[in-house]
mmCIF file of all heavy atoms in Angstrom:
data_model
loop_
_atom_site.group_PDB
_atom_site.id
_atom_site.type_symbol
_atom_site.label_atom_id
_atom_site.label_comp_id
_atom_site.label_asym_id
_atom_site.label_seq_id
_atom_site.Cartn_x
_atom_site.Cartn_y
_atom_site.Cartn_z
ATOM 1 N N TRP A 128 113.573 96.352 95.515
ATOM 2 C CA TRP A 128 114.402 95.131 95.455
ATOM 3 C C TRP A 128 114.808 94.624 96.835
ATOM 4 O O TRP A 128 115.063 93.441 97.003
ATOM 5 C CB TRP A 128 115.570 95.253 94.477
ATOM 6 C CG TRP A 128 116.494 96.424 94.569
ATOM 7 C CD1 TRP A 128 116.455 97.567 93.829
ATOM 8 C CD2 TRP A 128 117.634 96.542 95.429
ATOM 9 N NE1 TRP A 128 117.487 98.396 94.178
ATOM 10 C CE2 TRP A 128 118.229 97.785 95.147
ATOM 11 C CE3 TRP A 128 118.219 95.720 96.390
ATOM 12 C CZ2 TRP A 128 119.371 98.241 95.811
ATOM 13 C CZ3 TRP A 128 119.360 96.161 97.049
ATOM 14 C CH2 TRP A 128 119.912 97.415 96.752
ATOM 15 N N VAL A 157 102.426 105.429 91.774
ATOM 16 C CA VAL A 157 101.491 105.156 90.688
ATOM 17 C C VAL A 157 101.060 106.455 90.024
ATOM 18 O O VAL A 157 100.892 107.485 90.684
ATOM 19 C CB VAL A 157 100.250 104.373 91.195
ATOM 20 C CG1 VAL A 157 99.480 105.118 92.272
ATOM 21 C CG2 VAL A 157 99.316 104.018 90.048
ATOM 22 N N ILE A 215 107.518 110.895 91.249
ATOM 23 C CA ILE A 215 107.566 111.858 92.347
ATOM 24 C C ILE A 215 107.210 111.305 93.741
ATOM 25 O O ILE A 215 107.978 111.506 94.694
ATOM 26 C CB ILE A 215 106.668 113.076 92.017
ATOM 27 C CG1 ILE A 215 107.281 113.851 90.853
ATOM 28 C CG2 ILE A 215 106.488 113.995 93.230
ATOM 29 C CD1 ILE A 215 106.433 114.978 90.321
ATOM 30 N N ILE A 224 110.012 113.745 104.751
ATOM 31 C CA ILE A 224 109.957 113.268 106.139
ATOM 32 C C ILE A 224 111.345 113.309 106.783
ATOM 33 O O ILE A 224 111.499 113.750 107.923
ATOM 34 C CB ILE A 224 109.342 111.854 106.188
ATOM 35 C CG1 ILE A 224 107.852 111.941 105.842
ATOM 36 C CG2 ILE A 224 109.542 111.207 107.561
ATOM 37 C CD1 ILE A 224 107.150 110.616 105.676
ATOM 38 N N VAL A 237 122.908 122.866 104.297
ATOM 39 C CA VAL A 237 122.504 121.459 104.277
ATOM 40 C C VAL A 237 123.299 120.711 103.219
ATOM 41 O O VAL A 237 123.387 121.162 102.075
ATOM 42 C CB VAL A 237 120.982 121.346 103.977
ATOM 43 C CG1 VAL A 237 120.565 119.887 103.828
ATOM 44 C CG2 VAL A 237 120.168 122.019 105.077
ATOM 45 N N SER A 243 122.059 112.632 93.523
ATOM 46 C CA SER A 243 121.599 112.262 92.172
ATOM 47 C C SER A 243 120.596 111.121 92.177
ATOM 48 O O SER A 243 120.056 110.767 91.132
ATOM 49 C CB SER A 243 122.811 111.849 91.333
ATOM 50 O OG SER A 243 123.533 110.828 92.022
ATOM 51 N N GLY A 250 115.635 115.631 97.843
ATOM 52 C CA GLY A 250 116.296 116.252 98.991
ATOM 53 C C GLY A 250 116.833 117.627 98.618
ATOM 54 O O GLY A 250 116.644 118.609 99.346
ATOM 55 N N LEU A 276 119.010 121.137 89.690
ATOM 56 C CA LEU A 276 117.922 121.001 90.672
ATOM 57 C C LEU A 276 117.956 122.129 91.697
ATOM 58 O O LEU A 276 117.082 122.212 92.554
ATOM 59 C CB LEU A 276 118.038 119.648 91.391
ATOM 60 C CG LEU A 276 117.852 118.422 90.494
ATOM 61 C CD1 LEU A 276 118.233 117.154 91.252
ATOM 62 C CD2 LEU A 276 116.424 118.334 89.981
ATOM 63 N N TYR A 284 132.253 113.351 94.566
ATOM 64 C CA TYR A 284 132.878 112.494 95.588
ATOM 65 C C TYR A 284 134.088 111.726 95.060
ATOM 66 O O TYR A 284 134.871 111.177 95.837
ATOM 67 C CB TYR A 284 131.862 111.562 96.252
ATOM 68 C CG TYR A 284 131.286 110.448 95.391
ATOM 69 C CD1 TYR A 284 131.996 109.299 95.088
ATOM 70 C CD2 TYR A 284 129.972 110.534 94.919
ATOM 71 C CE1 TYR A 284 131.453 108.279 94.319
ATOM 72 C CE2 TYR A 284 129.414 109.523 94.149
ATOM 73 C CZ TYR A 284 130.168 108.392 93.852
ATOM 74 O OH TYR A 284 129.614 107.390 93.092
ATOM 75 N N GLY A 304 122.745 106.798 102.182
ATOM 76 C CA GLY A 304 123.087 105.949 103.325
ATOM 77 C C GLY A 304 124.464 105.324 103.253
ATOM 78 O O GLY A 304 124.654 104.173 103.642
ATOM 79 N N CYS A 311 130.833 111.670 109.568
ATOM 80 C CA CYS A 311 130.295 113.015 109.267
ATOM 81 C C CYS A 311 130.356 113.988 110.446
ATOM 82 O O CYS A 311 130.257 115.200 110.245
ATOM 83 C CB CYS A 311 128.831 112.897 108.818
ATOM 84 S SG CYS A 311 128.645 112.003 107.267
ATOM 85 N N ILE A 398 113.792 105.498 88.158
ATOM 86 C CA ILE A 398 113.621 104.437 87.158
ATOM 87 C C ILE A 398 112.116 104.180 87.046
ATOM 88 O O ILE A 398 111.458 103.878 88.043
ATOM 89 C CB ILE A 398 114.359 103.161 87.598
ATOM 90 C CG1 ILE A 398 115.843 103.456 87.814
ATOM 91 C CG2 ILE A 398 114.145 102.043 86.576
ATOM 92 C CD1 ILE A 398 116.558 102.419 88.655
#
Side-chain angles (χ1 to χ4, degrees):
W128 52 262
V157 59
I215 292 173
I224 290 173
V237 175
S243 54
L276 296 170
Y284 69 77
C311 295
I398 302 161

